[in-house]
Amino acid sequence: MLESIGLVAFLVLQVQCSVLEPQIPSVASFTPSSGTFELSPFVRIVVDSKYATHGSPSLLDYADTFRSDLEDTLSYTALAPVKLSSVVNNSIFGIPTIYLTLNTSLEYKLYNGQFTDEGYDLQISRDVYLIKGSTPLGVWWGTRTLLQQGAIQLAGGAKTVSFPAGEGSDSPGWEVRGFMLDAGRHWFDTSFLGDLCIYASYFKLNEMHLHASDNLWNPAFLYGDGNEGWKSLYAAFRFQPPAGSALDGLVPRKNESWTQQDFLDMQRTCADHGVTIIPEVDTPGHSLVINQWKSELMENGAPDHLNLSYPDTIPTIKSIWDEFLPWFSAPEVSIGADEYDSALANDYISFVNEMSSYIGAKSNKSIRIWGTNEPSTTLSVSKDITSQHWDFPGDDVPVQLLSRGYRVINSEQAFLYLDGKTSDGGQFPQELNQDLLWSGAPGGKGWAPNIFSPTDPTNNTSIDAPNLRGAVFALWNDWGNNATTALEVYYQLARSMSVFGEKAWAGSDVRPTGLTRDQFDAVYPMLNAAAPGQNLNRVVKPKLGNIVYEYPGTYRSLNTGIPSVGPPYTLSFSVKPDSRSPFTGTLFSGADSKLHVANLTFEATGQLYALGYVLPQDRYTSVEIHATREYTYALIDGDEANPRYWHTLMDIWGEYMALGNMSFAAPSAQMGGDGFAGIIKDVRLRLGA
Ligand SMILES: *[C@@H]1O[C@H](CO)[C@@H](O)[C@H](O)[C@H]1NC(C)=O
Ligand SMILES: *[C@@H]1O[C@H](CO)[C@@H](O)[C@H](O)[C@H]1NC(C)=O
Ligand SMILES: *[C@@H]1O[C@H](CO)[C@@H](O)[C@H](O)[C@H]1NC(C)=O
Ligand SMILES: *[C@@H]1O[C@H](CO)[C@@H](O)[C@H](O)[C@H]1NC(C)=O
Ligand SMILES: *[C@@H]1O[C@H](CO)[C@@H](O)[C@H](O)[C@H]1NC(C)=O
Ligand SMILES: *[C@@H]1O[C@H](CO)[C@@H](O)[C@H](O)[C@H]1NC(C)=O
Ligand SMILES: *[C@@H]1O[C@H](CO)[C@@H](O)[C@H](O)[C@H]1NC(C)=O
Ligand SMILES: *[C@@H]1O[C@H](CO)[C@@H](O)[C@H](O)[C@H]1NC(C)=O
Ligand SMILES: *[C@@H]1O[C@H](CO)[C@@H](O)[C@H](O)[C@H]1NC(C)=O
Ligand SMILES: *[C@@H]1O[C@H](CO)[C@@H](O)[C@H](O)[C@H]1NC(C)=O
């Protein structure tokens, strides 16, 4: 009986497996033949020895990462990659073989006809699953395809993973497929950023643009007559100069900067996953951090602008690039160059052109700037510079730039901007707007990198515009460090990266295999849950039912060994602080958050959020903390009528204060500590809010 059920399941699987499952992004083409490739619990990855050390990362490096991803996402045991000179198959090892190789003569083309090194071919037979690219990077994207197929099958209830035999070919429509994170106004550590790269890579994004210097914008503090508020307005530059450097004063807050080693490790992590970091140092606007260091460089009356005609200004900017260019492995960097005075158009244009030549000569890198319409009648921006369009009408019109021979990246805010937690007047959504991305462009076809306006088709281009390089979507942090935790930023990016991955790889309505919105909605949750190499969802396996842990009885302190648990969860306990000792210390702490006893204050990403409830001392209070990705609240002594939310207060351009909810991961690693005196009782952490 059992066997026949097994047989039916097997046959169903065979039928399901005659085509590839829809995935994100969609695969350009696949033609099934007969037969099936079965993954058994052991898999062997074989790397063509002729190409094993080709490239950096090499084919073998990518194979190693792929191996751990197979274990992580499919729970398969993959044997260490071996190098062999010819295609091998199951009949030799008796175990399924995934064969990774190159054919450097293979040619893949972007929609604009230019060659791309990111394409790959699939050849699946009963005996071997072969992934072939013209470069190791193409093969890497092919491994993402395999992992996603497997994850979708397992999520759909399959006991084992199998693939239809057949041949396929896949490559991106656009060269640039990235996300930008404002890491200037909000601090993020490199391990979080590295995890974002790994997650983005699963959806075949290939760039993380790091906006690494900026300041909060408060016009009264910046431009108010005689106001010195600019001196203390939050501004930051994230690359930490080496000890003793002349640039030391540029980074007063060392605890919110990346050391060279941390940066290089992150850059390596990203590169190991096919993602290039495009670093941005924003000048001559958005430069308060430089003027807080050297106020003589300031433009009169505009502390966040540099005075480009002051003799020491451009040499100072060059000295910053001199120090940090050697850190960067990308062939391009961004010098920002947005929102500068239109009255100083010639200063601006001479500056960007000079920086383009300087950075080119110094490091053989080219530069990007944010699209900026500087009305000069005598000078023009060099065509070596790529323009990243974001704004109508403040910025040059992209169709016109393209026709004048400029290279353009689409970051149009109507489709591609997000702001941490909230935006002024609801201008930007929490996640990329799915309605707009699937059908909101002219003609109802959905967004793609060639679409620049949701209303005016004259502002879009055809998909094959020669100088249209692709798109980068952006998450800004206008309200600074305390508006969001790092994980809240991930919640805004997670689905956004995925839908963007489809649109920037395949486009909208270009390929017959392109995803429909329904297909996307069906597979996204499975892929989000299965994305390997990071645990941004902070998932833990519950011990029993939905209980992560349960500690009946009383404790002064205890280690649980569980670093952090993502929402939704409920953490309940009773606590009796001791009045004979200072009212300090932590009730709970974890990798992403802490809960201090004083005022029941949560701490995350270095920021404090008080609940404003003072626990009575010398008697027990029962506390139940409920958290989702949108909020965290406490019920005190079971008072359900009176949920108390942890809030942040955001300063919106110095004009008004906006209240926002906070979501915190559970501080699950330890209870008690940091001098907490008292007793914690009957602790339970369960999944679900
Ligand atoms: C598998 O390997 C054996 C031995 O080298 C060979 O005879 C056979 O043709 C191979 N099968 C395929 C599908 O490559
Ligand atoms: C490599 O690709 C080229 C171009 O498609 C093709 O002509 C050649 O036969 C391929 N080589 C191998 C060994 O498959
Ligand atoms: C910029 O610096 C120059 C040279 O020192 C000075 O003449 C000019 O007034 C400054 N302009 C502004 C707007 O600060
Ligand atoms: C300079 O960069 C270009 C573009 O990335 C590359 O093609 C060229 O080989 C590089 N030249 C040197 C000398 O590294
Ligand atoms: C955008 O414009 C191009 C070129 O004019 C046109 O071919 C295309 O249909 C338009 N697409 C949309 C969605 O408006
Ligand atoms: C479209 O481009 C024109 C210039 O060609 C520009 O003036 C206009 O603002 C753009 N329209 C929209 C809706 O973005
Ligand atoms: C609790 O918060 C209030 C108001 O935010 C503050 O005045 C008080 O000092 C805090 N008490 C403790 C113990 O932190
Ligand atoms: C860095 O130090 C400053 C000053 O002590 C503090 O306000 C800030 O919260 C710290 N940042 C982090 C991320 O811990
Ligand atoms: C967050 O920072 C702003 C300054 O940017 C400050 O006005 C506000 O009070 C802070 N909110 C909290 C909850 O600390
Ligand atoms: C916080 O979340 C709760 C529950 O969704 C909601 O009722 C409340 O309005 C939110 N508060 C803020 C400031 O957004």
Side-chain angles (χ1 to χ4, degrees), residues 57-342:
S58 67
L59 196 57
L60 191 58
D61 293 333
Y62 281 131
D64 279 322
T65 310
F66 172 49
R67 176 203 185 196
S68 67
D69 291 345
L70 263 176
E71 300 191 348
D72 193 9
T73 193
L74 303 182
S75 304
Y76 273 71
T77 303
L79 305 175
V82 292
K83 294 180 273 181
L84 291 171
S85 59
S86 60
V87 181
V88 292
N89 61 40
N90 301 2
S91 59
I92 296 179
F93 290 111
I95 50 176
T97 299
I98 300 167
Y99 190 74
L100 309 180
T101 184
L102 301 185
N103 175 346
T104 53
S105 319
L106 283 176
E107 290 181 348
Y108 302 92
K109 285 183 178 168
L110 302 169
Y111 289 151
N112 66 13
Q114 288 163 9
F115 291 114
T116 169
D117 61 6
E118 297 189 89
Y120 65 95
D121 280 10
L122 288 177
Q123 289 169 12
I124 308 174
S125 69
R126 206 177 280 274
D127 290 326
V128 64
Y129 189 124
L130 185 145
I131 307 174
K132 188 192 311 190
S134 58
T135 67
L137 180 58
V139 173
W140 168 255
W141 298 133
T143 64
R144 305 303 87 184
T145 301
L146 184 157
L147 291 171
Q148 285 200 0
Q149 285 293 322
I152 292 166
Q153 290 178 32
L154 294 180
K159 291 279 173 286
T160 59
V161 171
S162 60
F163 301 86
E167 301 210 348
S169 187
D170 193 19
S171 59
W174 287 277
E175 170 210 349
V176 171
R177 307 178 307 281
F179 69 101
M180 189 226 74
L181 184 60
D182 177 359
R185 299 180 180 99
H186 192 301
W187 160 248
F188 298 102
D189 65 39
T190 52
S191 97
F192 172 73
L193 296 171
D195 281 353
L196 288 183
C197 279
I198 296 172
Y199 180 81
S201 163
Y202 194 50
F203 301 102
K204 301 191 175 84
L205 272 63
N206 64 359
E207 284 188 2
M208 175 166 77
H209 170 175
L210 274 186
H211 181 78
S213 65
D214 212 324
N215 51 269
L216 297 184
W217 192 74
N218 181 322
F221 283 11
L222 288 169
Y223 319 121
D225 229 5
N227 192 319
E228 305 246 295
W230 63 269
K231 290 185 176 166
S232 54
L233 188 60
Y234 187 84
F237 182 92
R238 301 301 181 193
F239 304 106
Q240 188 182 119
S245 159
L247 301 178
D248 195 60
L250 185 54
V251 186
R253 227 180 282 99
K254 295 280 181 291
N255 65 340
E256 296 184 0
S257 66
W258 307 312
T259 65
Q260 181 170 15
Q261 195 55 53
D262 284 348
F263 180 84
L264 295 182
D265 290 347
M266 161 175 68
Q267 185 169 246
R268 176 72 208 220
T269 296
C270 294
D272 283 347
H273 293 80
V275 177
T276 300
I277 294 180
I278 306 289
E280 175 183 345
V281 172
D282 200 354
T283 59
H286 296 269
S287 297
L288 180 62
V289 70
I290 296 176
N291 288 329
Q292 285 177 343
W293 168 45
K294 288 179 179 256
S295 59
E296 65 278 15
L297 308 187
M298 188 190 299
E299 188 188 302
N300 243 327
D304 56 341
H305 287 199
L306 292 165
N307 177 355
L308 289 172
S309 49
Y310 184 78
D312 196 32
T313 299
I314 293 178
T316 300
I317 298 170
K318 286 179 176 170
S319 73
I320 294 172
W321 284 106
D322 288 347
E323 181 70 52
F324 299 106
L325 274 172
W327 291 25
F328 308 140
S329 62
E332 282 179 274
V333 297
S334 170
I335 65 158
D338 54 323
E339 302 190 294
Y340 196 62
D341 315 57
S342 53

Side-chain angles (χ1 to χ4, degrees), residues 418-434:
L418 304 174
D419 215 340
K421 181 68 43 90
T422 189
S423 71
D424 185 16
Q427 188 186 5
F428 306 121
Q430 281 299 296
E431 303 180 316
L432 290 185
N433 182 326
Q434 299 279 326

Side-chain angles (χ1 to χ4, degrees), residues 661-682:
N661 280 325
M662 293 297 303
S663 166
F664 300 106
S668 56
Q670 175 163 342
M671 56 182 97
D674 293 337
F676 170 71
I679 298 175
I680 303 173
K681 192 173 80 165
D682 298 342

